[in-house]
Amino acid sequence: MQHPFPIRVLFLCNSNAARSLMAEALLRQLDSARFAAYSAGSKPTADGQADPRTLQALQRTGLPTEGLRSKSWDEFGHADAPHMDLIVTLCDEAFGEICPVWPGHPATAHWSCPDPRAGDARDAERFVHTAEALHRHIALLVSLSDARIDRLVLEAEARQIGQAS
């Protein structure tokens, strides 16, 4: 059975100031007809602001940044919040980051993605490289045929994308 569109995808990382915001913007740009993109973090920034280097990297790649903000995943846990079909965690377990866990029964996948904010604060190129890596993953996701998008197939395909990098 084919899934009704749009497929709601929530990208999660710790602070929702870089990786997950990039993924949200990329998915909106690449396929807003079949997918609805959201992002959140377990520990969003206190002021709700994205890292300025995130916005600069997105702008350099021609992506719109208006409306992007760091927000808590609690916003998506309310009864009136949109039901998510796919949750993708982007934290990098290889470097000891703790990935948020999402309750419920959506399809889930993990795409290990190092935090570009780690390291030298002046190195804005890490943000561009992160955006490029996420673009490759999301391009694979949106290339799935309509027939491949049901809960179990979506989960398997999304997990495979995360391991392909």
Side-chain angles (χ1 to χ4, degrees), residues 11-24 39-58 68-72 90 115-117 127 130:
F11 295 100
L12 295 177
C13 65
N14 293 316
S15 67
N16 188 223
R19 297 165 289 186
S20 53
L21 286 175
M22 289 178 184
E24 176 184 0
S39 68
S42 55
K43 299 173 191 154
T45 62
D47 61 2
Q49 298 298 308
D51 187 300
R53 297 168 294 176
T54 298
L55 301 177
Q56 291 168 354
L58 290 171
L68 292 179
R69 63 183 177 85
S70 176
K71 57 205 157 294
S72 172
L90 300 170
D115 188 349
R117 297 177 310 142
F127 287 79
T130 298

Side-chain angles (χ1 to χ4, degrees), residues 84-107:
M84 294 300 150
D85 300 298
L86 174 63
I87 307 295
V88 179
T89 54
L90 300 170
C91 50
D92 192 8
E93 293 175 325
F95 291 98
E97 284 187 285
I98 298 172
C99 292
V101 176
W102 189 256
H105 301 288

Side-chain angles (χ1 to χ4, degrees), residues 70-149:
S70 176
K71 57 205 157 294
S72 172
W73 66 355
D74 292 339
E75 289 188 26
F76 299 95
H78 300 289
D80 59 343
H83 166 77
M84 294 300 150
D85 300 298
L86 174 63
I87 307 295
V88 179
T89 54
L90 300 170
C91 50
D92 192 8
E93 293 175 325
F95 291 98
E97 284 187 285
I98 298 172
C99 292
V101 176
W102 189 256
H105 301 288
T108 59
H110 176 70
W111 299 348
S112 183
C113 184
D115 188 349
R117 297 177 310 142
D120 187 350
R122 296 167 297 183
D123 187 5
E125 283 304 306
R126 282 193 321 272
F127 287 79
V128 173
H129 294 304
T130 298
E132 290 169 349
L134 287 168
H135 186 277
R136 287 189 296 273
H137 281 43
I138 292 167
L140 289 170
L141 179 66
V142 302
S143 73
L144 294 174
S145 68
D146 291 353
R148 302 293 300 162
I149 300 180

